[in-house]
Structures are given as structure tokens and as C-alpha cells.
């Protein structure tokens, strides 16, 4: 059984633009509610964490999982927060099979 963790801060802004001012609404809290409802259909197998990738890496306690999907800001400051790219600068969550150890 696949185990998935989704990570997205849903800051009510994306790329420095308030979500309410964007046609696509990226980063909006109401989109988080939709995503969280979808993840809840797979309770026990999927979790959605509303936080930055750096915070998720610092607070990781799940042990190995199959997939971590990170949807994050791509601006310089957000990447620097985690020491570069979130997966390169922050502690890496362990995976069940091949890959990070």
C-alpha cells in the first residue's frame, strides 16, 4: 500500500501575489480545504501537511514513506530557507524502498 505525504503551505498568496488577486487562486485556503478533503478519502495512506518543505523536513516523524509531494514557492528566499532546494538542503525523509536512506 502506497503511503503519500503532500506538503504545501497554502499561504493565501503565490509568487508574492494574493490568491484573491489571481485568476487561478493558487495558494488559497479554500483550495487547501478541497485538497484536504481529497486526501482524507485515503486516511491512513495519505496525509496533507500545511507547512513549508523546510518545516516538514524539520518535523518529520513518520519514518519511511513511498512518496513526498512538495508544492512550494519557487522564489529565492523560500529556497534559501531550506539551504537551497528543499530536498537538497534539508534533512531528507527516508523512503521505503530504494533512494534516500
Amino acid at each position: 500500500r502506497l503511503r503519500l505525504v503532500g506538503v504545501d503551505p497554502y499561504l493565501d498568496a503565490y509568487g508574492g501575489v494574493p490568491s484573491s488577486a489571481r485568476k487561478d487562486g493558487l495558494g488559497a485556503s479554500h483550495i487547501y480545504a478541497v485538497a484536504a478533503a481529497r486526501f482524507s478519502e485515503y486516511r491512513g495512506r495519505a496525509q496533507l501537511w500545511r507547512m513549508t518543505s523546510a518545516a516538514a523536513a524539520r518535523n518529520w516523524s513518520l519514518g519511511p514513506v513511498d512518496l513526498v509531494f512538495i508544492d512550494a514557492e519557487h522564489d529565492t528566499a523560500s529556497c534559501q530557507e531550506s539551504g537551497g532546494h528543499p530536498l537538497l538542503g534539508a534533512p531528507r525523509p527516508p523512503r521505503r524502498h530504494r533512494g534516500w536512506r
Side-chain angles (χ1 to χ4, degrees), residues 3-77:
R3 288 182 53 207
L4 163 70
V5 176
V7 179
D8 191 321
Y10 294 94
L11 300 171
D12 282 320
Y14 190 83
V17 177
S19 299
S20 59
R22 298 179 57 93
K23 287 184 181 181
D24 57 18
L26 286 175
S29 292
H30 73 277
I31 293 176
Y32 167 75
V34 171
R38 182 147 313 153
F39 269 70
S40 73
E41 295 174 22
Y42 302 95
R43 200 169 310 244
R45 294 180 47 208
Q47 296 180 27
L48 181 58
W49 291 8
R50 189 175 185 177
M51 63 183 69
T52 65
S53 56
R58 284 191 304 269
N59 295 299
W60 193 265
S61 63
L62 296 178
V65 299
D66 297 297
L67 177 66
V68 178
F69 178 82
I70 299 172
D71 190 4
E73 293 279 342
H74 303 283
D75 61 277
T76 301

